[in-house]
Amino acid sequence: MRVLITGGTGFIGKHLQEELSQRQIEFVVFSKRDYDLTVKEQAEAVFASNRNADVILHFACYQAAGDFPAKHPAEQFHINNLIHINVLESWRKLMPHAKLIAVGSTCAYPSRLKTLVEDRFMFGEIHGSVYAYAFTKRLLYTGITAYNDQFQLNGSYIIPPTLFGEFDDFNEATAHVSSALIARFVRAALENLEEVEIWGDGSQVREFLYVKDFVRAVLDLIKPLNHDILNIGPGKGTTIKKLAITISRAAGFNGRLFFNPNRYVGIKEKFMNTGKLEQKYKMHLSVDISEGIKRTVAWYAQHYDELKNKRKFE
Amino acid sequence: MYKKILVTGGMGVLGSAVEAIVSKYPQSEFVFSGSKDCNLTKFEETITFVEKHKPDAIIHTAAVAGGVQYSRKYPAKLLRDNILMNINVLEAARLMNVQKTIMTLSTGMYPENAPNPIKEEYIHNGPPHESNYSYSFAKRLIDPSIKAYRTEYSINAIGLVSNGIFGENMNFRSEEAVMVGALIRRFYENKDSHEDITIWGDGSPLREYTYSNDLARAFMWCLDHYDDAQIMNIGSTEEHSVKEVAYMIAEIMGIDQERIVFDTSKPSGILKKSTDNSKFVKLSGFQYTPFRIGLERTIQWFCENYDKPGQVRL
């Protein structure tokens, strides 16, 4: 097996590289500076020079959390649409023999949906500032379906919950809640702060997965996945309160946790249905994130000085 | 009123309907472009073209579309070309400071099981008809795209939803024609034979049809008077069954109705699909042309031009 990874130098990509190396599977990664996937010719060039790969893991996208989506919806919309269309076109033109697995996002599920089950992925309003980005993730899924149908290709679509781990974005303006809290608690512990504020009353439920557990699952699924859409997560939620306590302990923070119920935190509960993962693919992922949190906190604390002022986009 | 107006899809049924009424807008200069003038799926070509003409407004009616068989055969092409055209037009509008841009959606994109009459806000609430999923998604994607461009760049882009368009210059090519066009052509080409003319299904589904001249006038009204982010239905709500339409065409063309046979072993399609245009009608006080009158004009045009080379898309 030989794997071509798009987005291979990003957060998930770095972990894919590590795991592929450990399994002694050949792979190719490239950065945006080498080949810019928003440019058709460059996307085709990197696919043309890696035709001997038989798996494409498409993880490239232009994304950040926090208030970034609210400020740059059109930019995110435009860039991601181009990336996805260029990747799909390059795939069918230059590597139609290869299996493609692309990564989606839970934010593209309808906002009001209670159970995030795969066959409801496409349908329903998306509220809040992530809508533009979320629709490009719907485009990616529709694109895979359409390219499978028109050109008899084998593409699949996988949806992770919120991932955290080493190499994530820890900038509080753009990070997801897990890594934002890791950054906040590590700083609070180092600076001996008395209190850390957490938005909301802590009762909101979200689904988290340690990135290494995710990439292992992805690699195990390469063979069995064919023309499918699949949620990959524990299928259970963790309260923000529990997440915050787990992180504060791992960081050695001894002060108070102040859950501020007056700050807006979004919907009450969001986690995926993983019935398909468990029944069809016989895979179970643990909801216990304490080990992953420990490792991530230790890694972040170790790299604190170089990361504390790092911004996602320069 | 905008001084210079660029109409994409200028050779299409809607574009040419706008062209037919330009004399009503003497203070504006119109440019009509077809795929030969500018390939809108190519970004550089689009930018160069818009830069050359420097329009104050763009009416973007260009789209790749076809009937059921075409949609089933080319889902990837429909998705790719329509999305590329849409994002290239929006990017060009932003970069060239175009004051107003109209994007064109169609009611085929609405959820198959949406309650009748279909309101604008139902757009993302369920799967479209499966035969046309990729085209429908490309149209749905216009909704988040105009919101994103309005938010980030404050451009004035709106989305108008047409339905069942027919009229002079419509597409009569067998694979690409919609029902009214396909029937007119088949009846005309078989008018001197005595054989049966078979229509799929039992003929009962009710559909709305809008004469292209009406849509052109509605677009011109919205160009000057509608500036909201919310997409708006602007088609006629006059409904006819497939059977009524077939008999009406036969009667206008002098064909014996007895020759029309409905093959009930074939699927009929969705039974009823009606749209709510009350917002538009309330704002504009618009008067639609009766279906029968539009149909007579279309058939007359078709018969007069059928033998003239290059006049009718056959």
Side-chain angles (χ1 to χ4, degrees):
Chain A
M1 183 162 74
R2 199 178 148 87
V3 183
L4 172 66
I5 311 175
T6 75
T9 59
F11 162 50
I12 306 173
K14 286 183 178 129
H15 293 275
L16 277 171
Q17 288 193 47
E18 279 188 15
E19 190 62 24
L20 284 162
S21 300
Q22 270 183 27
R23 297 187 187 197
Q24 299 183 314
I25 297 171
E26 275 186 77
F27 64 89
V28 180
V29 295
F30 57 93
S31 78
K32 196 161 77 182
R33 277 176 275 311
D34 305 323
Y35 297 98
D36 180 350
L37 293 175
T38 66
V39 181
K40 183 173 172 256
E41 291 72 22
Q42 295 190 35
E44 289 184 1
V46 69
F47 276 63
S49 54
N50 289 288
R51 276 184 167 147
N52 56 349
D54 42 23
V55 174
I56 303 161
L57 295 179
H58 174 40
F59 279 65
C61 72
Y62 182 61
Q63 178 267 348
D67 58 5
F68 182 81
K71 287 184 178 157
H72 304 280
E75 206 179 324
Q76 273 197 308
F77 184 83
H78 183 230
I79 289 175
N80 284 308
N81 277 339
L82 289 179
I83 290 174
H84 298 325
I85 288 177
N86 288 337
V87 164
L88 292 167
E89 272 293 284
S90 305
W91 171 40
R92 70 101 185 158
K93 261 194 215 168
L94 299 155
M95 294 174 66
H97 59 278
K99 181 183 279 193
L100 178 134
I101 298 174
V103 72
S105 168
T106 52
C107 70
Y109 269 109
S111 305
R112 284 210 196 93
L113 198 60
K114 288 269 180 269
T115 312
L116 306 187
V117 64
E118 288 92 341
D119 58 13
R120 301 290 304 277
F121 179 69
M122 285 294 294
F123 310 115
E125 278 294 342
I126 300 165
H127 296 292
S129 57
V130 297
Y131 71 94
Y133 170 73
F135 268 102
T136 66
K137 286 295 191 186
R138 285 191 181 179
L139 160 76
L140 179 55
Y141 175 62
T142 309
I144 289 172
T145 310
Y147 277 72
N148 282 350
D149 287 351
Q150 185 175 331
F151 302 107
Q152 291 79 50
L153 304 183
N154 187 355
S156 289
Y157 190 80
I158 54 176
I159 307 169
T162 302
L163 301 175
F164 64 91
E166 301 88 335
F167 310 114
D168 196 6
D169 171 21
F170 291 93
N171 183 299
E172 289 200 34
T174 49
H176 288 99
V177 58
S178 35
S179 292
L181 286 179
I182 288 171
R184 205 176 299 169
F185 277 109
V186 167
R187 181 166 58 87
L190 287 168
E191 294 176 3
N192 279 313
L193 300 184
E194 284 177 11
E195 185 181 274
V196 164
E197 183 188 348
I198 298 138
W199 287 16
D201 66 2
S203 69
Q204 326 82 268
V205 175
R206 295 290 184 275
E207 186 176 2
F208 301 97
L209 184 62
Y210 181 43
V211 64
K212 285 208 187 301
D213 293 332
F214 176 66
V215 300
R216 276 183 208 119
V218 172
L219 297 189
D220 291 344
L221 286 163
I222 286 178
K223 273 217 170 72
L225 260 183
N226 294 296
H227 311 101
D228 212 350
I229 173 170
L230 183 66
N231 290 334
I232 302 180
K236 291 188 187 71
T238 300
T239 62
I240 296 300
K241 190 170 188 177
K242 190 173 177 193
L243 175 75
I245 291 169
T246 309
I247 294 172
S248 72
R249 285 191 186 141
F253 173 72
N254 296 315
R256 263 178 298 125
L257 277 61
F258 169 48
F259 291 93
N260 186 347
N262 299 320
R263 304 303 292 256
Y264 175 73
V265 288
I267 51 171
K268 185 89 192 128
E269 208 174 69
K270 188 166 128 179
F271 53 90
M272 299 189 294
N273 177 297
T274 48
K276 198 198 249 186
L277 182 73
E278 284 155 23
Q279 279 138 42
K280 184 170 171 189
Y281 295 95
K282 309 288 176 213
M283 187 179 274
H284 299 263
L285 296 172
S286 168
V287 71
D288 184 2
I289 52 170
S290 53
E291 183 58 32
I293 291 286
K294 250 188 237 168
R295 289 202 210 173
T296 310
V297 166
W299 183 87
Y300 180 71
Q302 199 188 331
H303 296 85
Y304 180 72
D305 287 332
E306 72 185 82
L307 292 176
K308 65 181 175 189
N309 294 317
K310 194 182 165 193
R311 295 189 61 81
K312 177 148 179 151
F313 302 111
E314 300 304 332
Chain B
M1 179 49 73
Y2 297 91
K3 266 196 192 140
K4 190 164 182 182
I5 301 165
L6 169 63
V7 183
T8 73
M11 314 300 136
V13 58
L14 180 51
S16 39
V18 174
E19 194 165 10
I21 60 168
V22 292
S23 60
K24 287 187 179 170
Y25 308 93
Q27 59 281 56
S28 297
E29 180 194 344
F30 288 79
V31 177
F32 294 88
S33 73
S35 52
K36 288 189 192 74
D37 307 301
C38 174
N39 180 348
L40 296 169
T41 68
K42 310 259 189 235
F43 178 67
E44 283 75 19
E45 262 189 60
T46 309
I47 278 289
T48 309
F49 188 74
V50 174
E51 194 172 15
K52 183 177 134 197
H53 290 289
K54 296 190 175 48
D56 302 296
I58 298 177
I59 300 177
H60 175 46
T61 76
V64 181
V68 174
Q69 285 170 33
Y70 186 88
S71 303
R72 280 193 208 280
K73 214 163 151 187
Y74 305 110
K77 179 185 163 57
L78 285 169
L79 186 75
R80 178 196 63 202
D81 288 353
N82 285 308
I83 288 176
L84 286 175
M85 284 196 272
N86 292 341
I87 61 180
N88 287 340
V89 165
L90 279 172
E91 274 292 293
R94 158 177 97 83
L95 293 167
M96 296 295 133
N97 297 310
V98 175
Q99 294 166 43
K100 177 90 177 253
T101 305
I102 299 183
M103 306 293 284
T104 311
L105 300 86
S106 81
T107 51
M109 75 185 176
Y110 281 121
E112 185 176 4
N113 57 4
N116 289 313
I118 301 170
K119 294 183 195 306
E120 291 87 349
E121 58 264 33
Y122 300 164
I123 174 169
H124 303 297
N125 285 353
H129 194 261
E130 51 82 26
S131 67
N132 208 9
Y133 69 92
S134 74
Y135 174 82
S136 299
F137 183 74
K139 290 293 182 194
R140 287 183 182 195
L141 209 52
I142 290 174
D143 170 53
S145 77
I146 59 178
K147 286 177 180 154
Y149 275 78
R150 292 171 71 101
T151 304
E152 186 170 350
Y153 303 120
S154 304
I155 75 167
N156 187 357
I158 62 167
L160 302 178
V161 188
S162 72
N163 60 354
I165 183 167
F166 72 97
E168 296 89 339
N169 294 299
M170 70 189 296
N171 192 339
F172 293 94
R173 289 187 195 116
S174 54
E175 264 201 339
E176 297 163 23
V178 294
M179 193 199 66
V180 173
L183 285 183
I184 291 174
R185 180 177 180 175
R186 278 173 63 202
F187 284 15
Y188 183 81
E189 289 175 348
N190 292 288
K191 66 177 191 288
D192 298 326
S193 96
H194 295 283
E195 283 164 30
D196 287 350
I197 298 170
T198 307
I199 294 173
W200 278 26
D202 63 6
S204 66
L206 290 167
R207 293 291 182 273
E208 297 166 344
Y209 302 92
T210 308
Y211 184 38
S212 56
N213 172 274
D214 289 351
L215 274 180
R217 290 187 295 120
F219 267 65
M220 291 307 293
W221 187 88
C222 292
L223 186 65
D224 282 336
H225 301 101
Y226 187 70
D227 292 322
D228 289 357
Q230 174 66 268
I231 58 162
M232 185 161 70
N233 294 333
I234 56 161
S236 165
T237 53
E238 187 180 333
E239 258 182 333
H240 293 279
S241 71
V242 171
K243 192 177 243 171
E244 279 169 8
V245 173
Y247 285 173
M248 222 187 270
I249 295 172
E251 193 206 317
I252 295 167
M253 297 179 94
I255 285 168
D256 183 3
Q257 291 179 356
E258 299 285 312
R259 288 176 55 204
I260 302 169
V261 178
F262 291 91
D263 181 354
T264 51
S265 71
K266 294 288 196 301
S268 296
I270 310 166
L271 209 56
K272 180 181 166 79
K273 204 168 180 183
S274 58
T275 51
D276 182 340
N277 66 2
S278 57
K279 182 178 176 183
F280 170 62
V281 171
K282 201 172 158 194
L283 286 171
S284 65
F286 199 81
Q287 299 283 327
Y288 292 93
T289 309
F291 174 67
R292 166 103 195 189
I293 292 174
L295 191 61
E296 283 170 359
R297 288 184 192 154
T298 307
I299 291 170
Q300 191 187 354
W301 176 87
F302 180 85
C303 297
E304 283 171 3
N305 289 282
Y306 183 83
D307 292 322
K308 296 180 190 164
Q311 283 299 303
V312 183
R313 280 186 283 168
L314 293 169

